[in-house]
Amino acid sequence: MIEHVHDKYLAKQKMAGKRARLYVYACSLGAQIFGLYLRKQGKRACKYIDGAILYGTPWSTAKGNDFFNKNAFGFYSWAIGMNLSETIRT
């Protein structure tokens, strides 16, 4: 997705270079997912992204998962399941 946004909106079509810079801001679970993307892409991500801020990243996913499942009566898992189900239907 980052590559698509870069190629469609930021990259100059006929010349090398960029029309604008791309900065990314991600929160909570999105920050964790985006951090994983940056880690896996390594230097390749630098071609597309000029800066990133990861805010409120849950560093211990296993502990966080246990906390939500035990303290929220499974509501977190139910909400994620409902959202995933709706996404698959559309």
Side-chain angles (χ1 to χ4, degrees):
M1 176 165 234
I2 297 292
E3 291 86 358
H4 171 74
V5 170
H6 176 270
D7 294 344
K8 185 167 182 171
Y9 299 106
L10 302 175
K12 291 182 180 179
Q13 299 300 324
K14 297 182 181 181
M15 299 176 358
K18 294 181 179 182
R19 289 186 279 183
R21 294 182 179 271
L22 178 62
Y23 297 99
V24 179
Y25 176 80
C27 297
S28 192
L29 185 58
Q32 187 167 11
I33 293 168
F34 191 68
L36 182 62
Y37 167 82
L38 290 174
R39 194 180 113 224
K40 286 187 175 185
Q41 293 300 316
K43 296 213 182 251
R44 184 170 177 253
C46 294
K47 175 182 175 185
Y48 303 109
I49 300 167
D50 295 302
I53 296 174
L54 307 178
Y55 179 76
T57 307
W59 293 110
S60 179
T61 307
K63 286 181 183 178
N65 184 38
D66 289 342
F67 173 80
F68 278 112
N69 286 329
K70 290 178 182 174
N71 294 326
F73 303 106
F75 177 76
Y76 182 71
S77 298
W78 176 82
I80 295 241
M82 291 300 289
N83 189 18
L84 180 60
S85 178
E86 188 64 30
T87 301
I88 291 171
R89 284 187 200 142
T90 57

